[in-house]
Amino acid sequence: MSDSSILVLVGSLRAASTNRQLAEAAAQVAPEGVTLTIHEGLGHIPFYNEDIDVEGAVPEGAAKLRAAIGASDGILVVTPEHNGTIPASLKNAIDWASRPYGESNLVGKPTAVIGSAFGQFGGVWAQDETRKAFGITGAKVLDDVKLAIPGSVVRFAETHPKDDAEVVGQLSDVVEKLVAATSEAAAA
């Protein structure tokens, strides 16, 4: 397996969110030669507005996101569910990343979506909507790579996901499948 760089987008802006913790745990289980980097700053990107998406004047946060996506081999999205759908900060990041039209770094980018939520289904609605949005942008969404952890607030109240053997095993599987997809994309 060659070196691979995976960009991690966390849909929650809270520093101690369970989804942030899942992202940290995923980075720790990455195989040798694979780097998972959590992208910081989604909360600092202004809402997408075509009037400010002008060459040479793109907001710094949006420009950094686009560059990070371009430099990555794949994307791992770790998201909670807000009112049954995608958190606004994540949807905004997708909107910025998908442009300029026809030039997006998302096109063909292997992308996996996982997450946790307090509810009994673990945020599957948000994950499905996130897969849909990334798919529309042209990303190569890995529809068969899924991990939805329910009851996250209780399950991870006193245990970090990195210390939950079942979760670590599931995260390892997700990362391995994403890395395999990035290797296939690079070979194509």
Side-chain angles (χ1 to χ4, degrees):
M1 177 183 306
S2 62
D3 289 353
S4 185
S5 173
I6 306 296
L7 182 67
V8 184
L9 301 178
V10 180
S12 176
L13 300 180
R14 289 187 320 106
S17 79
T18 56
N19 284 285
R20 171 83 184 197
Q21 292 175 15
L22 276 175
E24 293 165 354
Q28 291 181 358
V29 301
E32 187 175 335
V34 176
T35 303
L36 272 74
T37 304
I38 299 172
H39 185 77
E40 304 292 348
L42 293 188
H44 300 291
I45 301 172
F47 281 114
Y48 184 79
N49 177 342
E50 198 168 0
D51 290 344
I52 62 172
D53 188 6
V54 179
E55 189 173 338
V58 173
E60 182 181 5
K64 285 181 178 180
L65 173 65
R66 287 175 176 170
I69 290 170
S72 72
D73 298 308
I75 301 170
L76 175 63
V77 181
V78 187
T79 187
E81 188 169 271
H82 290 182
N83 297 316
T85 193
I86 306 172
S89 59
L90 180 57
K91 177 61 170 76
N92 188 48
I94 296 167
D95 291 344
W96 276 105
S98 70
R99 289 167 175 86
Y101 181 78
E103 299 176 30
S104 169
N105 288 327
L106 288 174
V107 175
K109 188 79 60 173
T111 303
V113 181
I114 65 170
S116 68
F118 179 71
Q120 65 181 341
F121 301 112
V124 294
W125 290 345
Q127 291 176 39
D128 288 345
E129 290 295 317
T130 302
R131 285 184 195 94
K132 175 184 168 187
F134 271 101
I136 289 170
T137 71
K140 181 184 178 190
V141 177
L142 307 179
D143 287 319
D144 61 332
V145 178
K146 296 183 178 181
L147 175 58
I149 303 171
S152 60
V153 174
V154 175
R155 182 167 186 167
F156 302 125
E158 297 180 19
T159 303
H160 192 287
K162 69 178 173 49
D163 298 320
D164 183 315
E166 179 184 17
V167 170
V168 168
Q170 293 168 326
L171 286 171
S172 294
D173 186 52
V174 165
V175 172
E176 287 174 19
K177 288 178 179 174
L178 181 54
V179 170
T182 64
S183 296
E184 290 171 18

